[in-house]
Amino acid sequence: GQQLNQSPQSMFIQEGEDVSMNCTSSSIFNTWLWYKQDPGEGPVLLIALYKAGELTSNGRLTAQFGITRKDSFLNISASIPSDVGIYFCAGSRSGNTPLVFGKGTRLSVIA
Amino acid sequence: SAVISQKPSRDICQRGTSLTIQCQVDSQVTMMFWYRQQPGQSLTLIATANQGSEATYESGFVIDKFPISRPNLTFSTLTVSNMSPEDSSIYLCSVFKGSGYEQYFGPGTRLTVT
């Protein structure tokens, strides 16, 4: 099935640095969501975006819904060791239809 | 959000056998989804399970290999049949809550087939 283009594939950063990752699609999505998956766990919803141009924060995380509705980015400020994990973007075209997922960004934080 | 539990959390199975994975949700939901996540990969939708009707399978997945039951609005099972090492994956169930756009996931079942 279709997948979103997520980049970078992996990142190694120093503790305290800011992180940015993004997701693009060739087609429009009406909702963008960002998830984090820790080893041995299921993905956990971080942020949901519902309107083009919307900028939403959740603590040190900020995500934006691109104005074209074909992209989204996630920023993490002042990274800490517990930010380590895999971050997935996901898109939805309509309610109650399964999400389309990106391939994930694996984040490693060096203390 | 939704509280979703899965059993077993992990298993090691012999090739040719079958394993049934259970998913329990803390509230009634119309649709439940089953995903597979192969090692180092993203999530791939296997099927959508609605209570009272046959599950809808995605391309590449068939009912004979992945039969699904949905006996009520809080419970579903996925069976991985006639397993081969290629079936070694994490299997996740998922539901919609809230607006209908937010999907929540169970903790997953890590399956290893030897």
Side-chain angles (χ1 to χ4, degrees):
Chain A
Q2 179 187 0
Q3 281 194 321
L4 303 174
N5 301 311
Q6 188 172 348
S7 65
Q9 190 174 4
S10 63
M11 304 178 74
F12 290 83
I13 61 167
Q14 293 276 348
E15 183 177 357
E17 288 184 350
D18 297 343
V19 173
S20 185
M21 59 191 79
N22 69 78
C23 212
T24 61
S25 170
S26 58
S27 56
I28 288 171
F29 285 91
N30 292 315
T31 303
W32 285 88
L33 302 97
W34 286 90
Y35 289 84
K36 182 189 179 208
Q37 186 175 29
D38 291 327
E41 303 288 332
V44 173
L45 180 62
L46 299 173
I47 291 179
L49 301 157
Y50 297 101
K51 284 196 318 192
E54 179 182 356
L55 186 72
T56 297
S57 294
N58 177 7
R60 293 177 296 106
L61 277 61
T62 301
Q64 184 156 28
F65 191 149
I67 198 73
T68 65
R69 293 196 279 159
K70 293 183 180 180
D71 63 330
S72 177
F73 71 74
L74 175 71
N75 286 344
I76 306 172
S77 63
S79 58
I80 59 177
S82 62
D83 290 333
V84 166
I86 304 175
Y87 292 80
F88 290 100
C89 62
S92 172
R93 293 192 175 86
S94 62
N96 293 315
T97 57
L99 298 173
V100 177
F101 281 87
K103 292 192 174 182
T105 295
R106 184 179 295 271
L107 179 64
S108 300
V109 179
I110 304 165
Chain B
S1 64
V3 177
I4 305 170
S5 61
Q6 286 185 234
K7 288 182 184 179
S9 58
R10 57 177 61 228
D11 208 341
I12 301 173
C13 300
Q14 298 245 339
R15 118 185 8 234
T17 63
S18 298
L19 176 72
T20 295
I21 302 167
Q22 299 178 7
C23 178
Q24 180 76 49
V25 188
D26 67 337
S27 58
Q28 293 183 340
V29 293
T30 306
M31 288 189 286
M32 294 177 79
F33 305 97
W34 286 98
Y35 286 81
R36 181 175 73 182
Q37 186 177 27
Q38 293 178 303
Q41 302 296 314
S42 185
L43 289 79
T44 301
L45 181 65
I46 298 172
T48 301
N50 292 329
Q51 195 265 337
S53 63
E54 292 278 336
T56 304
Y57 289 83
E58 297 299 303
S59 175
F61 297 96
V62 294
I63 187 171
D64 289 347
K65 175 68 176 177
F66 297 102
I68 287 170
S69 79
R70 183 79 203 274
N72 59 54
L73 292 173
T74 63
F75 187 79
S76 177
T77 68
L78 169 77
T79 298
V80 187
S81 304
N82 188 24
M83 288 184 283
S84 67
E86 292 71 35
D87 294 320
S88 297
S89 292
I90 300 172
Y91 292 86
L92 297 143
C93 69
S94 175
V95 303
F96 278 112
K97 289 293 272 187
S99 64
Y101 290 91
E102 297 169 15
Q103 256 183 265
Y104 294 90
F105 288 84
T109 295
R110 183 179 294 272
L111 171 63
T112 302
V113 183
T114 60

